[in-house]
Amino acid sequence: MPTRLAVLISGNGSNLQAIIDAIRMRMLDAEIVVVVSNRKEAYGLQRAAKAGIPTRYHPLQPYRAAGQERTDYDAALADIVAAYKPDWIVLAGWLHILSDAFLQRFPYRVINLHPALPGQFPGINAIQRAFEAYQAGKIKKTGIMVHLVPDEQVDSGPILATQEVLIYPSDTLENLEKRIHQAEHQILLAAIYRLIEGDEA
Ligand code: GRF
């Protein structure tokens, strides 16, 4: 049976597309059972729909407007995802921090992709912050990591894969971002491949 993946996104979904393509090319013995976005305009929702994958839109705003807690939102998100019975949940550019109301429903089954090396630049705008640190002479390289999300700590958890990305004097933020995104697709696929192999072993 193909491994069942739920993919959570907030934006462009280029990493989602990489997974879709890898499955289509039979590089991954997996099936994306649902794509969830917290943003209606996320282009990744269109990518999923085009590939015939069920999509769900789960916005935070109505919860805020009703004075509900973030944990209510996360519990409802967990219900949505659980209904599709995923083996793994892939955070591929999901821009909300997940609370235990979600994570405890899927212990050690949530993975996250972050465009920085472990321990460096957690949170948003990681590539930009790395670029600025390079320009300030503080670092010479940045990178990417894929890790398990066992708890509420941001961009931290047992590492599944990392890759260093050198920064060059001629780099602009734009071409560094482009290089990182290209490398991300490879490392994310490699990490998912290993998870699937581990489940099958
Ligand atoms: C990636 O840089 C990922 O590392 C970060 O959000 C971005 C998502 O890109 N968490 P995309 O939506 O997959 O194109």
Side-chain angles (χ1 to χ4, degrees):
M1 288 287 281
T3 295
R4 299 171 67 82
L5 305 175
V7 183
L8 275 53
I9 62 162
S10 298
N12 179 26
S14 66
N15 287 282
L16 165 68
Q17 188 68 55
I19 303 171
I20 292 171
D21 293 344
I23 292 172
R24 194 175 283 144
M25 290 187 283
R26 299 184 189 276
M27 286 161 55
L28 289 178
D29 183 18
E31 175 189 0
I32 302 176
V33 290
V34 66
V35 170
V36 184
S37 173
N38 64 314
R39 290 179 56 225
K40 199 174 195 169
E41 67 276 21
Y43 182 57
L45 285 174
Q46 291 184 42
R47 295 179 190 267
K50 198 171 164 202
I53 298 165
T55 59
R56 299 291 300 268
Y57 165 51
H58 185 54
L60 178 59
Q61 206 282 329
Y63 287 79
R64 285 208 178 118
Q68 286 183 287
E69 302 292 331
R70 182 57 170 265
T71 49
D72 297 319
Y73 172 84
D74 281 354
L77 176 65
D79 287 341
I80 291 170
V81 171
Y84 293 87
K85 299 191 178 358
D87 297 307
W88 292 97
I89 295 148
V90 182
L91 308 181
W94 172 258
L95 292 181
H96 283 325
I97 297 164
L98 292 170
S99 66
D100 283 339
F102 182 91
L103 295 171
Q104 286 183 0
R105 297 275 297 276
F106 309 101
Y108 287 88
R109 286 278 151 176
V110 180
I111 73 168
N112 181 47
L113 169 70
H114 184 62
L117 292 171
Q120 294 188 352
F121 311 111
I124 59 164
N125 298 329
I127 303 173
Q128 184 180 336
R129 285 184 287 139
F131 186 65
E132 286 165 4
Y134 171 81
Q135 288 183 315
K138 292 179 188 158
I139 59 168
K140 287 194 164 17
K141 63 192 176 201
T142 182
I144 305 154
M145 65 171 166
V146 180
H147 63 96
L148 290 172
V149 187
D151 55 36
E152 296 179 1
Q153 288 190 53
V154 178
D155 297 320
S156 143
I159 303 296
L160 298 169
T162 63
Q163 187 173 321
E164 293 184 348
V165 175
L166 290 174
I167 308 176
Y168 302 111
S170 59
D171 267 334
T172 60
L173 176 59
E174 288 67 33
N175 65 26
L176 177 62
E177 279 175 343
K178 197 170 169 199
R179 223 163 51 246
I180 287 182
H181 288 315
Q182 280 166 354
E184 272 183 342
H185 302 164
Q186 303 307 317
I187 187 176
L188 179 60
L189 294 180
I192 294 172
Y193 184 84
R194 283 207 294 274
L195 291 175
I196 293 172
E197 275 196 323
D199 278 351
E200 284 172 355

